Amino acid sequence: MGFTLVHSYAELVSSESQHPLDIDLVADGTESEHPDSDNLDVGLGAIDTERDPHELPTFNSKSLTNPSSTVLYLPPLLSSLPHDLRVLLHTSLEQQPMLSETRLPDIDPVSLSLHKALHHFRPVTPYYAELPYDEAFNWSELELPEDEEREWYCVAFRSKRLPGSDSGPLYDADKLAHEEAVLSGGLIMYWYGVPDPETGMNLATCIWQSRKHAVAANSHPHHIRAMMLAASSYEVYTLERHKLRKLRGERGVTIHPFDGAEVVW
């Protein structure tokens, strides 16, 4: 699986740390109300200079191709949970995660714990695109219940856009491919950054419940169209595959090279 969104403008990302996030999961069929959850479905985009830099702005093909100012805000884009699960936010987190418009059809219990932990996901430096995958993000800060054990399939995309290539159609196709993948199941998180202001290199990543889920998404029509557009839009485009591992008896997670075998769970 490969989402093809890479921003066409090179602007620096703020690396300010997040505050801890306290999340409760409610398993019922009713909508949950909370004053801090109103902004979760707002898109990511170019931040107007007159706006609060901690407020999520709108991000679409127009703001992508004609940004009004520097992008300072890049929270993770988490797949919305199935209808019978709800997430309540109980603190004023500066970087609230975004949620997909489409909901996952299902999610296993340990992946649900990872979904909760990934609300804290962030790069550790504005120059993450130049770092190895296991050093680019705050993996050491993610914690799950000690008695849980599982592996997940991760894909990293390192890219550099061709000068003058049109980002609008690619962004639109990428968004449709992402929502299509959530609906088909297995996609936990998609995170994308902005190009390094000096090198133009970018890094994006997906975390899947399994490799089988990722492979299945490759055959969907919106993904195929996005990949066709991407083929003529990038000067550099390389894929890396990794495993994210959580061992029983430990709270943290670790990154390992993908060995060709399906994840263990």
Side-chain angles (χ1 to χ4, degrees), residues 109-152:
V110 187
S111 291
L112 184 59
S113 296
L114 177 64
H115 186 283
K116 178 178 178 179
L118 286 171
H119 285 69
H120 300 279
F121 184 85
R122 61 178 177 83
V124 296
T125 169
Y127 306 102
Y128 55 84
E130 305 298 330
L131 294 177
Y133 189 67
D134 61 345
E135 299 177 14
F137 302 102
N138 63 333
W139 304 111
S140 63
E141 298 177 8
L142 306 181
E143 293 188 344
L144 280 71
E146 190 171 333
D147 62 343
E148 295 182 338
E149 181 167 310
R150 199 192 194 288
E151 292 180 336
W152 296 271

Side-chain angles (χ1 to χ4, degrees), residues 219-247:
S219 62
H220 297 319
H222 288 304
H223 173 79
I224 293 173
R225 180 174 187 274
M227 290 302 295
M228 290 176 64
L229 288 171
S232 59
S233 300
Y234 293 100
E235 180 178 328
V236 176
Y237 192 85
T238 60
L239 276 72
E240 303 172 3
R241 296 166 177 84
H242 307 269
K243 283 185 176 181
L244 176 63
R245 182 174 297 159
K246 163 66 174 68
L247 296 177

Side-chain angles (χ1 to χ4, degrees), residues 180-251:
E180 180 181 63
V182 175
L183 183 62
S184 70
L187 179 62
I188 300 175
M189 185 198 76
Y190 175 36
W191 187 90
Y192 52 88
V194 296
D196 183 285
E198 297 179 0
T199 67
M201 289 298 297
N202 193 20
L203 171 62
T205 187
C206 299
I207 300 179
W208 294 86
Q209 292 183 53
S210 74
R211 183 174 180 270
K212 289 182 179 179
H213 285 101
V215 171
N218 283 340
S219 62
H220 297 319
H222 288 304
H223 173 79
I224 293 173
R225 180 174 187 274
M227 290 302 295
M228 290 176 64
L229 288 171
S232 59
S233 300
Y234 293 100
E235 180 178 328
V236 176
Y237 192 85
T238 60
L239 276 72
E240 303 172 3
R241 296 166 177 84
H242 307 269
K243 283 185 176 181
L244 176 63
R245 182 174 297 159
K246 163 66 174 68
L247 296 177
R248 185 172 289 106
E250 302 177 2
R251 293 185 59 84

Side-chain angles (χ1 to χ4, degrees), residues 34-44 51-52 54-58 73 75 89 92-99:
H34 192 277
D36 289 335
S37 63
D38 294 339
N39 293 327
L40 285 178
D41 292 325
V42 180
L44 169 68
R51 297 181 59 180
D52 182 347
H54 298 142
E55 178 184 353
L56 281 174
T58 299
Y73 203 105
L89 305 183
S92 56
L93 182 69
E94 287 188 3
Q95 284 196 336
Q96 300 237 358
M98 298 182 298
L99 296 178

